[in-house]
């Protein structure tokens, strides 16, 4: 698995930076491409001195010419707050970004992995979500730029496979959290932890009965690397996530308990098209990747709380930005 040159797009983001770190550890050269739309140099500063690591500032919606063996395509704002800020840019990143990275993979004969999302299932009527489920997605809602952008990217990956026999892999990532999350991406785990640590009100959108399944970062990265290593005929899509399902209210209570916080819980309006339930069926990942998550939510939250606690002390400005 080592000694390859690997391109990671979105490599300075939450997941991308950890992936770069892990690929370097396993003996690969890494080219990290990022336009710093939501990513931060802070995430990769510890890698900058490594001679096997190379950073390129570049927007994947424009063509890219590099020579590598493998491509992980992660470039894309991932939280609702970030991807809704500039929906047109989100679609361009998903669609033009996928076309360019697929064109690149085709030219150089590289394997290419797409980080897709559980959002392709929309507000799901099949529960838990299996890969065969086609989803329930609003094409013109506030989440559509991301949901439909990611669905179109899957179509592009599959079309390049059908037409050019490209070596493609698609993973559908369910909610993932951990150290390195952006403090202001508005996601539920980062919001609740920062609110709890500062004894500010915990903001539950709606009645808190909606569910999510939370996967710890390191578990997810391991699954992505295993997927890339599968033989040509394995293309996915494969769900990766933690099948433990929690209501948002349960998450709030757990965060309050683990931080020993004095925060009260307050309610805010539920955003439009907010999925009511989400839990991955990971039978395929277990069978094909011999993988399942090993970090329970409590343990993962403790590690994430440590990270945000340190970040608040080290760089309170960044936490407000
Ligand atoms: P993130 O926002 O931390 O990382 C995304 C990175 O992509 C950032 O560094 C950003 O600057 C970069 N980027 C955005 N647009 C770009 C462009 N046009 N050109 C180059 N770089 C660009 O988010 P993340 O949580 O690390 O997500 C990484 C990938 O995983 C995304 O594709 C996301 O859709 C997918 N994903 C994440 C989750 C999750 O829960 N974290 C769930 C499902 C899917
Ligand atoms: N592309 C790229 N890097 C490469 C090769 C291609 O960014 O090394 C881009 C190219 O600009 C094109 C896209 O990938 O827009 C799709 O390439 P493909 O060869 O599939 O299509 P074509 O060039 O025939 O339109
Ligand atoms: N949420 C919440 N309070 C917050 C942020 C999010 O109650 O401060 C809810 C949100 O409405 C959704 C769930 O938590 O039901 C997960 O939201 P997130 O933005 O993390 O990811 P999503 O899975 O919706 O893309």
């Amino acid at each position: 698995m080592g000694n390859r040159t690997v391109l990671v797009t979105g490599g300075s983001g939450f997941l991308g930076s950890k992936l770069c770190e892990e690929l370097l550890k396993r003996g690969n050269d890494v080219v990290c491409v990022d336009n710093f739309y939501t990513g931060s140099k802070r995430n990769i500063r510890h890698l900058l001195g490594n001679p096997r690591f190379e950073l390129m500032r570049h927007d994947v919606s424009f063509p890219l010419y590099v020579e590598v063996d493998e491509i992980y395509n992660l470039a894309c704002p991932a939280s609702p707050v970030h991807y809704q800020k500039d929906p047109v840019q989100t679609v361009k990143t998903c669609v033009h970004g996928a076309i360019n990275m697929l064109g690149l993979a085709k030219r150089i004969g590289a394997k290419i992995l797409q980080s897709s999302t559980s959002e392709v299932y929309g507000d799901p009527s099949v529960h838990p979500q299996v890969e065969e489920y086609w989803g329930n997605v609003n094409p013109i809602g506030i989440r559509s730029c991301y949901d439909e952008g990611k669905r179109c990217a899957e179509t592009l990956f599959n079309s390049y496979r059908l037409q050019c026999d490209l070596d493609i892999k698609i993973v559908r990532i369910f909610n993932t959290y951990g150290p390195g999350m952006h403090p202001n991406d508005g996601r539920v785990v980062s919001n609740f932890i920062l609110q709890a640590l500062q004894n500010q009100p915990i903001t539950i959108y709606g009645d808190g009965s909606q569910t999510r399944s939370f996967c710890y970062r390191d578990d997810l990265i391991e699954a992505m690397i295993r997927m890339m290593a599968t033989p040509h005929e394995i293309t996915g899509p494969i769900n990766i996530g933690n099948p433990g399902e929690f209501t948002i209210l349960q998450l709030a209570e757990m965060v309050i308990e683990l931080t020993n916080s004095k925060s009260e819980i307050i309610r805010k309006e539920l955003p439009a098209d907010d999925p009511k339930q989400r839990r991955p069926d990971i039978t395929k990942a277990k069978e094909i990747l011999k993988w399942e998550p090993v970090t329970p939510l409590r343990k993962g939250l403790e590690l994430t709380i440590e990270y945000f606690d340190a970040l608040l002390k080290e760089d309170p400005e960044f936490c407000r930005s």
Side-chain angles (χ1 to χ4, degrees), residues 14-15 34-35 37-39 59-60 74 93 146 150 176 187:
F14 160 52
L15 295 176
D34 206 294
N35 68 348
Y37 186 63
T38 52
D59 181 331
V60 293
L74 274 70
T93 294
Y146 183 72
K150 288 284 189 177
T176 302
R187 282 190 256 203

Side-chain angles (χ1 to χ4, degrees), residues 78-81 83 119 143 175 185-189 191-192 195 203-206 208 210-212 214 248 270-271 274-275 278:
S79 81
V81 168
Y83 69 65
E119 284 289 316
R143 298 175 83 101
N175 297 58
D185 67 6
R187 282 190 256 203
V188 68
V189 173
N191 271 11
F192 284 4
Q195 289 161 347
T203 53
I204 287 192
Y205 304 159
Q210 70 271 38
T211 67
R212 293 292 185 274
F214 300 100
I248 295 304
L270 187 68
D274 200 280
R278 197 183 277 153

Side-chain angles (χ1 to χ4, degrees), residues 17 23 35 40 49 85 89 95 108 116 153 168 179 189 193 204 208 214 223 244 262 264 268 291 313 321:
S17 55
L23 290 168
N35 68 348
S40 153
K85 203 156 50 189
Q89 172 65 15
V95 177
I108 59 180
S116 190
I168 66 143
V189 173
I193 292 180
I204 287 192
F214 300 100
K262 296 186 193 59
E264 52 164 347
K268 288 202 167 176
W291 170 90
K313 287 174 186 134
S321 65

